[in-house]
Amino acid sequence: MKTQDLDNHPIFKKAKRAIALTRTPGYHFCGNFFDFVYDNANSEHSEVHIDPEPQNTDHDQSVHLVLLAILADMGLATGIRYGLDDRTRLATVSLSLQFTGARPKGRVIAVTDTQGHLQGAKGAQGVSLTHIKADHTLIAVGYGAFMILPVPNGGSLPAVPWVEKKAPVDPPLDLQTLTNDEKWILERVKASIEHCDRTGEDFASHFLNFHPHPQERGSYCEVLNGPHVVNRVGHVQGGVILALGMVTANAALGEQWILSGVTATYVSPGEGEAIHAQSKIIHQGRMTAVVQTSIYNKTGRQALEVLSTHARRAD
């Protein structure tokens, strides 16, 4: 594809918009690029949606599983985060999703209600419940718990700017002022566009390098930790790391199985130059299967433990 054509490609234009939006502090590139939109938010209730667009859909134009995981994480956290002091941040403690098997076609929205805080604990943990729907069809039900922590090094974090107001549709971006991280992101976007146009692979999988390798009774996947996937404090975004566990677990079983449920426990931040997931089939019966997936930083420190259930696909 010619450079001029790339510059006008809808995904590349979306990436330039996301970089411009990310220059307003408070929201990460991942959220701006995949375009999670806050429709309604307060401390008790929130609604966050994502529309099917070229950068976030699968081959059948449904919203990619990776984006469902990120939407769940962001939706569950929104009400708990709302109104917090700018010297605090949230860290995901645990997250569970039960899927219905319905395909997430059209606008997908996470409708979330805060369930209060964990009682009797020394540290403050908020708990929330979400229903993820696509055009009024239930896709999944999710639960999450989030620890309220101080910002590292005594710093502060601005609130997400696009909660109280809508993000600009076409913010200005002077390409002559790009930082090294911003240049790196745009080069990665271009490379992914060219690869996907040539091979037919969906963009999200290639851009995030979600390419699990099946092994005997398991699978393995490694992804780069870079400015395209980090949250506001430089760790791999919680939904991205959950998605890595889900995709790797699916690969352990193959196309004849569908993901029916997932329970994730967050052990430590996803940090370092890369993270990797190792899945192991615990049970594989005639109709159901269970997969255990452990995710580690490059240093060998565990970041996430995932237990997933799967159902054999109908003929």
Side-chain angles (χ1 to χ4, degrees), residues 134-204:
D135 288 340
H136 307 292
T137 298
L138 184 65
I139 305 299
V141 178
Y143 300 88
F146 299 82
M147 180 74 75
I148 302 171
L149 298 171
V151 176
N153 303 316
S156 62
L157 287 175
V160 178
W162 319 131
V163 174
E164 299 294 343
K165 62 179 180 180
K166 296 299 182 185
V169 174
D170 190 21
L173 177 66
D174 182 356
L175 295 179
Q176 301 302 314
T177 67
L178 292 177
T179 66
N180 288 336
D181 280 351
E182 291 168 346
K183 291 176 182 177
W184 184 91
I185 288 173
L186 289 184
E187 287 303 314
R188 189 175 182 88
V189 169
K190 282 186 176 181
S192 291
I193 291 172
E194 291 176 330
H195 172 86
C196 295
D197 282 350
R198 185 173 63 253
T199 65
E201 182 182 0
D202 67 84
F203 177 86

Side-chain angles (χ1 to χ4, degrees), residues 256-296:
Q256 68 270 34
W257 295 86
I258 60 174
L259 181 67
S260 58
V262 59
T263 298
T265 301
Y266 289 73
V267 181
S268 66
E271 53 190 357
E273 63 182 23
I275 58 174
H276 67 267
Q278 180 70 62
S279 291
K280 178 174 63 174
I281 298 173
I282 303 299
H283 164 73
Q284 187 173 8
R286 292 186 301 110
M287 298 297 177
T288 63
V290 179
V291 177
Q292 180 185 19
T293 304
S294 302
I295 298 178
Y296 294 89

Side-chain angles (χ1 to χ4, degrees), residues 26-289:
Y27 204 28
H28 41 69
F29 173 82
C30 186
N32 283 316
F33 179 52
F34 291 115
D35 211 1
F36 297 93
V37 178
Y38 294 85
D39 298 306
N40 182 20
N42 57 52
S43 61
E44 296 181 353
H45 179 83
S46 70
E47 297 177 12
V48 184
H49 82 258
I50 183 172
D51 285 322
E53 296 180 344
Q55 76 276 14
N56 59 35
T57 51
D58 216 331
H59 292 107
D60 65 353
Q61 302 306 306
S62 60
V63 171
H64 199 290
L65 179 65
V66 171
L67 281 305
L68 288 182
I70 302 173
L71 176 64
D73 180 67
M74 293 176 63
L76 284 163
T78 296
I80 299 170
R81 180 183 293 116
Y82 188 88
L84 287 181
D85 187 280
D86 64 3
R87 293 186 296 275
T88 61
R89 66 182 180 93
L90 292 187
T92 315
V93 175
S94 62
L95 198 156
S96 298
L97 291 171
Q98 180 63 51
F99 293 95
T100 66
R103 296 298 294 162
K105 288 181 172 289
R107 173 170 291 185
V108 181
I109 183 169
V111 181
T112 306
D113 292 298
T114 305
Q115 304 296 302
H117 292 79
L118 181 64
Q119 302 297 305
K122 185 174 182 179
Q125 283 191 44
V127 181
S128 54
L129 163 68
T130 193
H131 291 80
I132 299 176
K133 300 178 180 181
D135 288 340
H136 307 292
T137 298
L138 184 65
I139 305 299
V141 178
Y143 300 88
F146 299 82
M147 180 74 75
I148 302 171
L149 298 171
V151 176
N153 303 316
S156 62
L157 287 175
V160 178
W162 319 131
V163 174
E164 299 294 343
K165 62 179 180 180
K166 296 299 182 185
V169 174
D170 190 21
L173 177 66
D174 182 356
L175 295 179
Q176 301 302 314
T177 67
L178 292 177
T179 66
N180 288 336
D181 280 351
E182 291 168 346
K183 291 176 182 177
W184 184 91
I185 288 173
L186 289 184
E187 287 303 314
R188 189 175 182 88
V189 169
K190 282 186 176 181
S192 291
I193 291 172
E194 291 176 330
H195 172 86
C196 295
D197 282 350
R198 185 173 63 253
T199 65
E201 182 182 0
D202 67 84
F203 177 86
S205 292
H206 188 268
F207 180 67
L208 298 172
N209 198 36
F210 276 26
H211 295 136
H213 304 286
Q215 301 172 332
E216 184 177 358
R217 293 193 63 78
S219 60
Y220 176 88
C221 186
E222 180 171 302
V223 300
L224 181 68
N225 178 13
H228 61 316
V229 294
V230 296
N231 61 18
R232 299 186 298 165
V233 295
H235 302 150
V236 179
Q237 199 275 337
V240 173
I241 198 170
L242 172 63
L244 173 60
M246 293 161 60
V247 169
T248 308
N250 276 345
L253 291 164
E255 292 295 326
Q256 68 270 34
W257 295 86
I258 60 174
L259 181 67
S260 58
V262 59
T263 298
T265 301
Y266 289 73
V267 181
S268 66
E271 53 190 357
E273 63 182 23
I275 58 174
H276 67 267
Q278 180 70 62
S279 291
K280 178 174 63 174
I281 298 173
I282 303 299
H283 164 73
Q284 187 173 8
R286 292 186 301 110
M287 298 297 177
T288 63

